[in-house]
Amino acid sequence: MPSPLESVRGIQTVLFLAAAGLVFPTAVQAQVFDGGSEVERLDALLLENNRSIHAYEARIRESEEEAQALESQWPDPMVEYMLEISAPWAPHFMTGHMIRVMQTIPRGGARQAQAAPARASGEVARSEQREATTDLLRDVRLDMIALARIEARVELLEEEIDLIEDARSVVEAVAPVERGDHGDFYQLELAAETRTDDVESLRSRQEERRSLMAARLGVEPEALEDLELPSTLLEEWPVDLPSTQELVEMARRAEPGLMRMEAASNVASARIELIDQRTRPWPQVMAGYSNMPPMWEMDGSRAQMFQVGFSVPLPLFRSQYGHEATRWQQAQQAVEEDRSQMEKNLRGRIEELVTAWETDQRRLERLEVELMPLATDLAEQVLIGMEVGERSAAEFLLALRQEIDLEGRIIELRAEQLDRLMELQRLTGGELGADQAWAYPEYIGGER
């Protein structure tokens, strides 16, 4: 029959091994996390409360109102009255009267051409709003990943603290029979307190990030008190990446910066068209009445005439129009040059992200498949040796720290992979991951 001490030590070992299983990936139970609803809630808060987004709406309305004013604008009619009085040296005093009404008639499509630059400017503001919104949506998702990363590190440290506490219980159990060392006890105590301090530091960083996230959303921090972002988010969000060429094509279609530049190019085109319209001036029609003295007979009846006519400006000095048109052509060319370079930069950025993704994916697989099992076996062997008095607390802490460090690297790699995924989602305007829980709202580019 085993002695009471052996029974106690056996129980400690079973409890310790059970606790150690919390660190091992094969024993982790996946927590169900409805990430889609949390993302939708945060997106709704952002779109409703972030004032910068609403400022763009005011700019868009400003351009639309300007366009409507120009498109509905008619030249004001003019009334002209002429009084003719004979010169003092004339042999007879005579007066003449003439009144005319003149109206400039816009050419067909001319008012629409006048409004086109304002409408194009409105599209630029709309593109800028979409670009700023996608930046904010990406940042919100990065905040969520950061909070989940901190939560995963906290859970890992808490598991380490539990394992250290169990090891300390083993030391306390074997100490009365001179198989333990008080130095081991103090070493384990110090390690546990150090990890507790690390947990407090991470919790503080978590609150700091939550406050930053609330400011980004435009709400008070209290609005996010019930926000739960478990560590399992790091495992549930990843997806398989399309090929680099597919990602580049997505970016060419939907990257907000490219769309903004296209809208800016349309503004220059509208300005050029407006200058072309100005070389085809609007005609002016006139209707009038004149009452003039007779030209040959002083006593004859006055000449009364109705007048109908028109006038058209003659754009003879066309060089001034040419210089202005050249100015906007150069502006358009500058936008096109910037857009061409941006496409190259996008390709380079996508290739950089994909390369880093593939490299870290291989690292992640190596850590999970090869190194973690080795670290887990080592920790188990040192734990058993410590329980029977063949290993010290220092050896156990070293083996445990190696296992925890590997698990921490896995957490960091998963979080970095998600950061890259969110950046690729931003570069493709929401087309990547449109069917995922972290999709953008539908009118931005995602599909719910």
Side-chain angles (χ1 to χ4, degrees):
M1 177 179 294
S3 66
L5 179 57
E6 291 174 341
S7 299
V8 170
R9 292 202 314 231
I11 293 173
Q12 293 288 353
T13 302
V14 172
L15 292 175
F16 200 162
L17 289 173
L22 295 175
V23 183
F24 308 151
T26 56
V28 174
Q29 297 296 323
Q31 179 181 354
V32 178
F33 169 57
D34 188 6
S37 62
E38 287 291 358
V39 173
E40 288 181 12
R41 181 168 78 93
L42 294 175
D43 286 350
L45 288 174
L46 173 71
L47 298 176
E48 180 181 355
N49 297 288
N50 186 280
R51 307 322 301 170
S52 295
I53 295 177
H54 293 287
Y56 282 106
E57 293 175 358
R59 296 187 186 102
I60 293 170
R61 288 194 296 270
E62 175 189 5
S63 297
E64 290 176 348
E65 291 297 328
E66 180 185 1
Q68 290 180 6
L70 291 171
E71 198 169 37
S72 61
Q73 184 176 1
W74 265 78
D76 292 326
M78 296 178 60
V79 175
E80 182 183 84
Y81 171 75
M82 184 70 69
L83 171 65
E84 295 183 354
I85 302 176
S86 59
W89 53 83
H92 302 284
F93 177 75
M94 295 179 294
T95 60
H97 307 274
M98 182 173 60
I99 185 170
R100 289 187 296 184
V101 178
M102 294 167 285
Q103 175 65 56
T104 301
I105 307 299
R107 297 173 63 92
R111 290 186 299 163
Q112 289 75 11
Q114 277 188 335
R119 291 198 185 280
S121 297
E123 290 303 314
V124 172
R126 198 181 305 278
S127 299
E128 290 174 345
Q129 182 190 38
R130 187 174 189 270
E131 186 175 14
T133 302
T134 51
D135 286 341
L136 289 168
L137 291 171
R138 174 201 58 196
D139 293 343
V140 167
R141 284 150 178 76
L142 292 178
D143 288 336
M144 297 179 70
I145 294 168
L147 291 173
R149 177 183 354 206
I150 294 174
E151 187 64 31
R153 296 307 298 254
V154 167
E155 291 175 1
L156 188 61
L157 287 174
E158 289 177 343
E159 291 168 1
E160 184 180 5
I161 292 170
D162 290 340
L163 294 174
I164 293 172
E165 291 295 333
D166 288 334
R168 191 169 60 175
S169 299
V170 171
V171 172
E172 290 176 347
V174 300
V177 292
E178 299 181 354
R179 295 181 62 184
D181 187 352
H182 289 293
D184 288 346
F185 178 83
Y186 294 136
Q187 198 169 16
L188 291 169
E189 177 77 15
L190 178 61
E193 291 301 325
T194 302
R195 301 299 174 262
T196 301
D197 181 70
D198 292 340
V199 169
E200 292 180 0
S201 176
L202 286 172
R203 289 298 185 194
S204 176
R205 287 170 52 191
Q206 195 173 42
E207 290 306 313
E208 293 169 6
R209 191 62 180 250
R210 196 184 295 266
S211 298
L212 176 63
M213 186 180 190
R216 199 189 315 279
L217 296 174
V219 299
E220 296 298 324
E222 292 76 12
L224 301 182
E225 287 181 351
D226 61 338
L227 179 63
E228 296 292 339
L229 296 172
S231 58
T232 52
L233 178 149
L234 302 179
E235 302 176 39
E236 295 174 2
W237 277 16
V239 296
D240 294 330
L241 286 185
S243 67
T244 301
Q245 187 57 39
E246 288 178 296
L247 291 171
V248 170
E249 291 301 323
M250 289 181 186
R252 286 175 177 168
R253 285 196 305 267
E255 203 281 326
L258 291 179
M259 298 176 70
R260 170 178 52 80
M261 287 191 171
E262 183 177 354
S265 178
N266 291 337
V267 172
S269 297
R271 290 287 183 184
I272 295 171
E273 176 62 26
L274 180 58
I275 294 170
D276 185 60
Q277 287 286 339
R278 286 166 53 190
T279 62
R280 300 193 295 273
W282 298 354
Q284 186 180 63
V285 296
M286 296 172 287
Y289 167 77
S290 65
N291 187 318
M292 308 297 290
M295 295 184 64
W296 312 111
E297 298 181 20
M298 298 305 303
D299 297 330
S301 61
R302 297 176 67 86
Q304 301 185 55
M305 304 288 292
F306 289 105
Q307 300 173 331
V308 177
F310 72 95
S311 66
V312 179
L314 299 177
L316 298 179
F317 305 103
R318 301 181 68 88
S319 61
Q320 58 184 334
Y321 301 108
H323 289 310
E324 190 173 358
T326 301
R327 170 205 168 188
W328 288 109
Q329 287 170 350
Q330 293 301 313
Q332 187 177 33
Q333 182 179 353
V335 172
E336 293 300 326
E337 295 288 351
D338 282 340
R339 191 177 192 278
S340 176
Q341 184 60 44
M342 179 176 280
E343 287 186 355
K344 295 178 181 178
N345 293 343
L346 281 174
R347 171 179 281 278
R349 178 61 174 152
I350 289 172
E351 290 175 349
E352 175 192 15
L353 291 169
V354 171
T355 300
W357 171 282
E358 293 173 348
T359 300
D360 283 355
Q361 191 65 30
R362 290 192 296 269
R363 291 179 58 201
L364 187 60
E365 292 173 359
R366 185 169 64 253
L367 288 173
E368 291 179 333
V369 176
E370 299 177 13
L371 299 184
M372 272 304 300
L374 292 176
T376 300
D377 291 341
L378 177 60
E380 289 178 348
Q381 293 299 321
V382 174
L383 172 62
I384 295 172
M386 181 182 171
E387 194 272 341
V388 297
E390 296 178 356
R391 296 294 184 97
S392 66
E395 292 175 295
F396 166 72
L397 289 175
L398 177 60
L400 180 61
R401 176 44 43 186
Q402 288 177 329
E403 184 178 12
I404 294 297
D405 285 345
L406 286 176
E407 191 70 34
R409 289 189 189 184
I410 291 174
I411 291 173
E412 294 302 316
L413 282 175
R414 285 173 176 167
E416 289 171 8
Q417 290 290 72
L418 285 183
D419 286 346
R420 296 187 184 98
L421 197 60
M422 297 306 108
E423 184 64 24
L424 287 170
Q425 181 192 34
R426 157 65 178 80
L427 295 177
T428 59
E431 288 197 10
L432 176 64
D435 58 345
Q436 299 297 314
W438 36 270
Y440 287 168
E442 184 176 357
Y443 73 93
I444 297 295
E447 296 177 1
R448 288 296 185 191

Short mmCIF file of all heavy atoms in Angstrom, two decimals, residues 239-260:
data_model
loop_
_atom_site.label_atom_id
_atom_site.label_comp_id
_atom_site.label_asym_id
_atom_site.label_seq_id
_atom_site.Cartn_x
_atom_site.Cartn_y
_atom_site.Cartn_z
N VAL A 239 -7.61 32.80 -43.79
CA VAL A 239 -8.13 32.15 -45.00
C VAL A 239 -6.95 31.87 -45.93
O VAL A 239 -5.85 32.40 -45.75
CB VAL A 239 -9.16 33.04 -45.73
CG1 VAL A 239 -10.39 33.26 -44.87
CG2 VAL A 239 -8.53 34.37 -46.13
N ASP A 240 -7.18 31.02 -46.91
CA ASP A 240 -6.17 30.76 -47.92
C ASP A 240 -6.10 31.95 -48.88
O ASP A 240 -7.15 32.44 -49.36
CB ASP A 240 -6.49 29.49 -48.69
CG ASP A 240 -6.40 28.25 -47.81
OD1 ASP A 240 -5.60 28.28 -46.85
OD2 ASP A 240 -7.13 27.27 -48.07
N LEU A 241 -4.90 32.42 -49.16
CA LEU A 241 -4.74 33.57 -50.04
C LEU A 241 -4.88 33.17 -51.51
O LEU A 241 -4.40 32.11 -51.91
CB LEU A 241 -3.37 34.21 -49.83
CG LEU A 241 -3.14 35.02 -48.56
CD1 LEU A 241 -1.77 35.66 -48.60
CD2 LEU A 241 -4.20 36.08 -48.38
N PRO A 242 -5.52 34.01 -52.32
CA PRO A 242 -5.46 33.81 -53.77
C PRO A 242 -4.04 34.04 -54.26
O PRO A 242 -3.15 34.43 -53.51
CB PRO A 242 -6.43 34.87 -54.31
CG PRO A 242 -7.21 35.35 -53.14
CD PRO A 242 -6.34 35.15 -51.93
N SER A 243 -3.83 33.82 -55.53
CA SER A 243 -2.51 34.06 -56.11
C SER A 243 -2.20 35.56 -56.10
O SER A 243 -3.10 36.40 -56.00
CB SER A 243 -2.46 33.53 -57.54
OG SER A 243 -3.32 34.30 -58.38
N THR A 244 -0.92 35.87 -56.24
CA THR A 244 -0.51 37.27 -56.26
C THR A 244 -1.17 38.02 -57.40
O THR A 244 -1.62 39.17 -57.24
CB THR A 244 1.02 37.37 -56.39
OG1 THR A 244 1.64 36.70 -55.29
CG2 THR A 244 1.48 38.82 -56.41
N GLN A 245 -1.26 37.40 -58.58
CA GLN A 245 -1.86 38.07 -59.72
C GLN A 245 -3.34 38.36 -59.47
O GLN A 245 -3.84 39.43 -59.84
CB GLN A 245 -1.70 37.20 -60.98
CG GLN A 245 -2.14 37.89 -62.27
CD GLN A 245 -1.41 39.19 -62.52
OE1 GLN A 245 -0.20 39.29 -62.27
NE2 GLN A 245 -2.12 40.19 -63.01
N GLU A 246 -4.04 37.43 -58.85
CA GLU A 246 -5.45 37.68 -58.52
C GLU A 246 -5.59 38.84 -57.55
O GLU A 246 -6.49 39.68 -57.70
CB GLU A 246 -6.07 36.41 -57.93
CG GLU A 246 -6.29 35.30 -58.92
CD GLU A 246 -6.87 34.05 -58.26
OE1 GLU A 246 -6.20 33.46 -57.39
OE2 GLU A 246 -8.01 33.70 -58.61
N LEU A 247 -4.72 38.91 -56.57
CA LEU A 247 -4.77 40.02 -55.61
C LEU A 247 -4.47 41.35 -56.31
O LEU A 247 -5.11 42.36 -56.01
CB LEU A 247 -3.76 39.78 -54.49
CG LEU A 247 -4.09 38.64 -53.52
CD1 LEU A 247 -2.92 38.36 -52.60
CD2 LEU A 247 -5.33 38.97 -52.70
N VAL A 248 -3.53 41.33 -57.25
CA VAL A 248 -3.21 42.56 -57.98
C VAL A 248 -4.41 43.01 -58.81
O VAL A 248 -4.73 44.20 -58.87
CB VAL A 248 -1.97 42.34 -58.87
CG1 VAL A 248 -1.77 43.51 -59.83
CG2 VAL A 248 -0.73 42.15 -58.00
N GLU A 249 -5.09 42.07 -59.45
CA GLU A 249 -6.27 42.43 -60.25
C GLU A 249 -7.38 42.98 -59.35
O GLU A 249 -8.07 43.93 -59.73
CB GLU A 249 -6.78 41.20 -61.02
CG GLU A 249 -5.84 40.74 -62.13
CD GLU A 249 -5.62 41.83 -63.16
OE1 GLU A 249 -6.57 42.58 -63.47
OE2 GLU A 249 -4.49 41.95 -63.66
N MET A 250 -7.56 42.40 -58.18
CA MET A 250 -8.53 42.94 -57.23
C MET A 250 -8.18 44.38 -56.86
O MET A 250 -9.06 45.25 -56.81
CB MET A 250 -8.57 42.09 -55.96
CG MET A 250 -9.18 40.71 -56.10
SD MET A 250 -9.16 39.84 -54.50
CE MET A 250 -9.75 38.22 -55.00
N ALA A 251 -6.90 44.62 -56.62
CA ALA A 251 -6.47 45.97 -56.23
C ALA A 251 -6.70 46.96 -57.37
O ALA A 251 -7.14 48.09 -57.14
CB ALA A 251 -4.99 45.95 -55.84
N ARG A 252 -6.42 46.55 -58.61
CA ARG A 252 -6.66 47.45 -59.73
C ARG A 252 -8.12 47.80 -59.89
O ARG A 252 -8.48 48.90 -60.32
CB ARG A 252 -6.13 46.81 -61.02
CG ARG A 252 -4.61 46.80 -61.13
CD ARG A 252 -4.14 46.04 -62.36
NE ARG A 252 -2.69 46.10 -62.50
CZ ARG A 252 -2.00 45.35 -63.34
NH1 ARG A 252 -2.65 44.49 -64.14
NH2 ARG A 252 -0.69 45.46 -63.41
N ARG A 253 -8.98 46.87 -59.55
CA ARG A 253 -10.42 47.13 -59.68
C ARG A 253 -10.96 47.99 -58.55
O ARG A 253 -11.84 48.82 -58.78
CB ARG A 253 -11.20 45.81 -59.69
CG ARG A 253 -11.13 45.03 -60.97
CD ARG A 253 -12.23 43.97 -61.00
NE ARG A 253 -12.19 43.11 -59.83
CZ ARG A 253 -11.54 41.95 -59.78
NH1 ARG A 253 -10.84 41.54 -60.83
NH2 ARG A 253 -11.57 41.21 -58.67
N ALA A 254 -10.47 47.78 -57.33
CA ALA A 254 -11.20 48.32 -56.18
C ALA A 254 -10.36 49.08 -55.17
O ALA A 254 -10.91 49.54 -54.19
CB ALA A 254 -11.91 47.16 -55.46
N GLU A 255 -9.04 49.24 -55.39
CA GLU A 255 -8.25 49.95 -54.39
C GLU A 255 -8.72 51.39 -54.32
O GLU A 255 -8.77 52.10 -55.34
CB GLU A 255 -6.77 49.89 -54.76
CG GLU A 255 -5.84 50.10 -53.58
CD GLU A 255 -5.69 51.54 -53.19
OE1 GLU A 255 -5.71 52.40 -54.09
OE2 GLU A 255 -5.52 51.82 -51.99
N PRO A 256 -9.10 51.90 -53.15
CA PRO A 256 -9.71 53.24 -53.06
C PRO A 256 -8.80 54.35 -53.56
O PRO A 256 -9.29 55.33 -54.13
CB PRO A 256 -10.01 53.37 -51.56
CG PRO A 256 -10.11 51.98 -51.05
CD PRO A 256 -9.13 51.19 -51.87
N GLY A 257 -7.50 54.25 -53.35
CA GLY A 257 -6.61 55.31 -53.83
C GLY A 257 -6.61 55.41 -55.34
O GLY A 257 -6.59 56.52 -55.89
N LEU A 258 -6.64 54.28 -56.04
CA LEU A 258 -6.72 54.31 -57.50
C LEU A 258 -8.03 54.92 -57.96
O LEU A 258 -8.07 55.67 -58.94
CB LEU A 258 -6.56 52.90 -58.06
CG LEU A 258 -5.17 52.26 -57.93
CD1 LEU A 258 -5.21 50.85 -58.51
CD2 LEU A 258 -4.12 53.09 -58.63
N MET A 259 -9.12 54.59 -57.26
CA MET A 259 -10.41 55.15 -57.63
C MET A 259 -10.43 56.66 -57.40
O MET A 259 -11.04 57.41 -58.17
CB MET A 259 -11.51 54.46 -56.82
CG MET A 259 -11.59 52.95 -57.09
SD MET A 259 -12.80 52.11 -56.04
CE MET A 259 -14.32 52.75 -56.73
N ARG A 260 -9.77 57.12 -56.34
CA ARG A 260 -9.69 58.56 -56.08
C ARG A 260 -8.93 59.26 -57.20
O ARG A 260 -9.33 60.34 -57.66
CB ARG A 260 -9.02 58.80 -54.73
CG ARG A 260 -8.67 60.26 -54.48
CD ARG A 260 -8.06 60.44 -53.11
NE ARG A 260 -6.96 59.54 -52.87
CZ ARG A 260 -5.73 59.73 -53.32
NH1 ARG A 260 -5.44 60.78 -54.08
NH2 ARG A 260 -4.76 58.87 -53.03
#
